Amino acid sequence: MTTSNTQSSTELHLKSARELKAGLDAGEYTSLDLTNYFLARIEGLDGQINACNFVCADSARAAATAFDADSADSNAKSDDTLGVLAGLPLAHKDILVSVDSPTTAGSRMLEGYRSPFDATVVARLARVGMINLAKLNMDEFAMGSSSESSYFGATKNPWDTTRVPGGSSGGSAAAVAAGLITFATATDTGGSIRQPASFCGVTGIKPTYGAVSRFGIIAYASSLDQAGVMARRAEDCALVLEAMIGQDPRDSTSLEHPSLDLVGAINSLKGDQPLAGKRIGVPRDYLDARLDPCVSKVTSDAIAVYESLGATMVDVELPNTDHAIAAYYLIAASEASSNLSRFDGVRFGHRATDAEDLDDLYEKTRSEGFGDEVKRRILIGTYALSAGYFDAYYIKAQKVRRLIRDSYRQAFEGCDMILTPVAPTPAYKLGEKQDSVSMYLGDAFTIGVNLAGLPALSHPAGFSKDGLPIGAQLIGPAWHEAQILAAAHAFQQVTDHHLQEPELSKMSAQSASQEGAL
Ligand code: GLN
């Protein structure tokens, strides 16, 4: 590692994709230097936040070295859009299978599991030259909103390590916020990209259902799961998402769509009123007493910023979203109970050792391998799908889902996008939400989007009095991710919430390890 170069660039973890790429092209550092820089930050800081389940240092260094050798040979300066990402490190949520490391979905059930193939998202990002450094912690099988249900221990919020980072993609959000990595993949079944992005002060987008292939993403609820990305900046999310999207023959629900020119939409923003003519819908009944006052304040401030950028605020109604939590937790649990039946001790991962017969093997393996929240979901889902209850629960929930989808469709007749809070509160204390239902209630603003299959993002919009980050959510009509990313980019041109960094991240990786923080 050419330490002299990277030591003089101590702020590399705050830089954008384009800035990082410019340094690479100018020869200020190599891809291997960048890789080593972020590996050192992971080594120095991750002990405080537990964001990484696995670090793939060897394969990352090998890929970076090969990239550097290739670029020296071809002397290539990439100016195509996705060429910007070539040679830059990223990390994946530990739910995307990859051959370079184990994949566990945060569960004992998959402890030590190694996939023989890469998820399509992993392969696509590798194809544009990105280098995977680590697999990031998460709630077990993505079921949760706090990242406390991981078999590998809770991830902590870098802004206050006594607090949760949100979930289920808490490792992805915490890693980006602490500058362990510039970009992280994540998945969002019911808010798992947007809520942790809000709690950790980073930008995160969940695309339209079908935009990104689910092949190789360990399934939780197949009709809701989508992969997306987190980074400090909306522009970086646009770049990485653009590399991820596209039809994949191995996922029949994936689609090619012409409107997904994400980076183009950002590049075509113009002037100091870049959102002139845009109507942003605000569901006023979302801004009621259920919200922590600091979330109301940050949301009102965000509205003022969008107005200053030329957008017009309009009132919209989302009448059926009150029922979203109940419908979501029935549908997601039902699909989970089916998807997780594949973990039986025979084909994947954990296997109980002292089973007497096949039934006993299933029972012991699943009792030992799954944590409490996962078992709870499997039981609820099995109940909701069982003969006699199917119509009353599962079918009813699907009907509510349709009504929710129709509510959004109607709302978008009067506006181009919708602005809401992401979560009713900022990050809460580790261990604070002991009963599942109080945690489920925190998903009120995010899960309707999944039920309707829409694109939505969370971007940093301010801080609480105690210095905890708070995000704002922009929801678009299906296949309009370009529009919400461009709006968030415009917001980030006139604000700096997304550029703030927690104290923990300001410590150099070296001083963190010297202080025995590991
Ligand atoms: N909190 C929600 C759940 O537990 C969302 C999880 C997710 O989006 N993966 O199901």
Side-chain angles (χ1 to χ4, degrees):
M1 176 180 183
T2 50
T3 24
S4 54
N5 282 341
T6 47
Q7 270 176 2
S8 62
S9 335
T10 45
E11 306 291 286
L12 286 176
H13 59 280
L14 298 178
K15 293 199 185 298
S16 68
R18 286 187 199 288
E19 288 164 349
L20 288 174
K21 185 63 174 174
L24 264 182
D25 285 347
E28 285 166 30
Y29 40 76
T30 62
S31 174
L32 182 61
D33 291 333
L34 275 182
T35 299
N36 283 327
Y37 173 85
F38 286 104
L39 286 172
R41 286 189 63 85
I42 291 172
E43 199 182 322
L45 295 170
D46 192 45
Q48 295 177 72
I49 56 171
N50 195 31
C52 300
N53 288 353
F54 306 100
V55 179
C56 350
D58 292 344
S59 55
R61 288 195 179 105
T65 306
F67 172 84
D68 289 333
D70 271 7
S71 6
D73 279 355
S74 62
N75 207 9
K77 302 254 185 302
S78 359
D79 6 80
D80 64 320
T81 311
L82 298 181
V84 173
L85 300 173
L88 304 188
L90 93 164
H92 290 296
K93 184 174 180 179
D94 194 17
I95 198 168
L96 286 92
V97 303
S98 63
V99 295
D100 55 10
S101 97
T103 305
T104 68
S107 182
R108 181 181 182 199
M109 186 58 95
L110 285 172
E111 194 174 13
Y113 171 71
R114 273 194 108 96
S115 168
F117 61 90
D118 282 333
T120 298
V121 166
V122 171
R124 281 183 188 238
L125 292 172
R127 209 172 308 138
V128 296
M130 298 197 84
I131 316 255
N132 178 34
L133 301 199
K135 297 298 269 292
L136 302 169
N137 204 2
M138 53 181 282
D139 277 302
E140 185 178 6
F141 284 107
M143 297 174 192
S145 311
S146 67
S147 300
E148 293 171 288
S149 73
S150 169
Y151 176 62
F152 301 96
T155 297
K156 295 170 188 144
N157 192 315
W159 291 90
D160 174 350
T161 53
T162 66
R163 291 178 188 270
V164 302
S168 66
S169 313
S172 303
V176 173
L180 305 188
I181 199 73
T182 313
F183 329 89
T185 57
T187 57
D188 190 314
T189 303
S192 278
I193 291 178
R194 292 158 286 150
Q195 182 256 25
S198 174
F199 280 14
C200 291
V202 303
T203 306
I205 179 161
K206 171 205 111 65
T208 308
Y209 183 82
V212 171
S213 168
R214 289 179 297 109
F215 180 76
I217 298 175
I218 294 169
Y220 162 16
S222 307
S223 76
L224 300 159
D225 297 342
Q226 265 296 286
V229 59
M230 294 185 196
R232 277 177 197 285
R233 298 165 175 83
E235 184 177 16
D236 285 354
C237 288
L239 278 161
V240 178
L241 186 59
E242 195 151 322
M244 291 166 66
I245 54 183
Q247 206 269 334
D248 175 11
R250 289 171 299 184
D251 172 4
S252 60
T253 63
S254 69
L255 276 172
E256 205 68 58
H257 202 279
S259 74
L260 294 176
D261 180 10
L262 310 182
V263 178
I266 286 176
N267 291 342
S268 58
L269 289 169
K270 283 195 184 64
D272 59 0
Q273 297 262 296
L275 302 183
K278 294 284 177 208
R279 293 156 309 161
I280 301 185
V282 180
R284 296 283 163 186
D285 54 347
Y286 276 35
L287 304 180
D288 64 14
R290 284 176 299 177
L291 284 185
D292 187 300
C294 61
V295 176
S296 308
K297 162 93 173 61
V298 163
T299 311
S300 313
D301 291 350
I303 289 173
V305 172
Y306 279 114
E307 281 174 331
S308 76
L309 292 165
T312 310
M313 298 293 145
V314 297
D315 285 343
V316 292
E317 302 214 350
L318 289 172
N320 295 303
T321 49
D322 273 358
H323 305 297
I325 294 180
Y328 168 86
Y329 276 96
L330 277 165
I331 293 168
S334 300
E335 294 185 18
S337 73
S338 163
N339 275 325
L340 271 57
S341 64
R342 60 168 62 85
F343 301 106
D344 56 6
V346 178
R347 289 168 292 185
F348 298 96
H350 180 70
R351 175 180 298 174
T353 49
D354 52 349
E356 280 160 20
D357 54 30
L358 190 60
D359 280 344
D360 196 37
L361 175 74
Y362 291 157
E363 208 174 300
K364 288 204 169 108
T365 297
R366 289 167 68 82
S367 301
E368 292 168 4
F370 292 136
D372 287 349
E373 184 60 27
V374 174
K375 286 178 188 159
R376 187 173 297 120
R377 308 279 180 113
I378 292 173
L379 289 173
I380 294 172
T382 306
Y383 183 81
L385 290 178
S386 59
Y389 296 105
F390 182 75
D391 288 344
Y393 293 111
Y394 183 75
I395 294 293
K396 188 73 157 279
Q398 291 289 21
K399 289 179 178 164
V400 173
R401 179 178 194 171
R402 167 55 69 98
L403 291 176
I404 289 170
R405 230 175 58 179
D406 292 348
S407 302
Y408 280 106
R409 191 167 297 155
Q410 220 154 13
F412 283 123
E413 282 169 14
C415 65
D416 300 295
M417 59 195 118
I418 294 174
L419 175 77
T420 76
V422 183
T425 65
Y428 42 87
K429 292 271 186 191
L430 287 153
E432 185 178 323
K433 301 225 186 239
Q434 292 291 344
D435 71 303
S436 299
V437 173
S438 72
M439 199 171 290
Y440 301 169
L441 292 174
D443 296 339
F445 305 132
T446 43
I447 55 188
V449 162
N450 301 75
L451 291 167
L454 303 175
L457 61 76
S458 166
H459 67 71
F463 287 85
S464 72
K465 283 205 205 76
D466 316 329
L468 297 169
I470 296 171
Q473 174 171 238
L474 285 180
I475 306 169
W479 307 106
H480 283 66
E481 23 283 86
Q483 171 169 275
I484 55 174
L485 280 163
H489 176 75
F491 186 97
Q492 292 180 345
Q493 298 309 104
V494 294
T495 57
D496 63 0
H497 310 298
H498 60 296
L499 300 177
Q500 305 306 314
E501 133 177 78
E503 283 307 314
L504 176 152
S505 147
K506 290 179 189 159
M507 298 164 78
S508 73
Q510 211 181 3
S511 67
S513 33
Q514 273 164 5
E515 282 179 24
L518 302 179

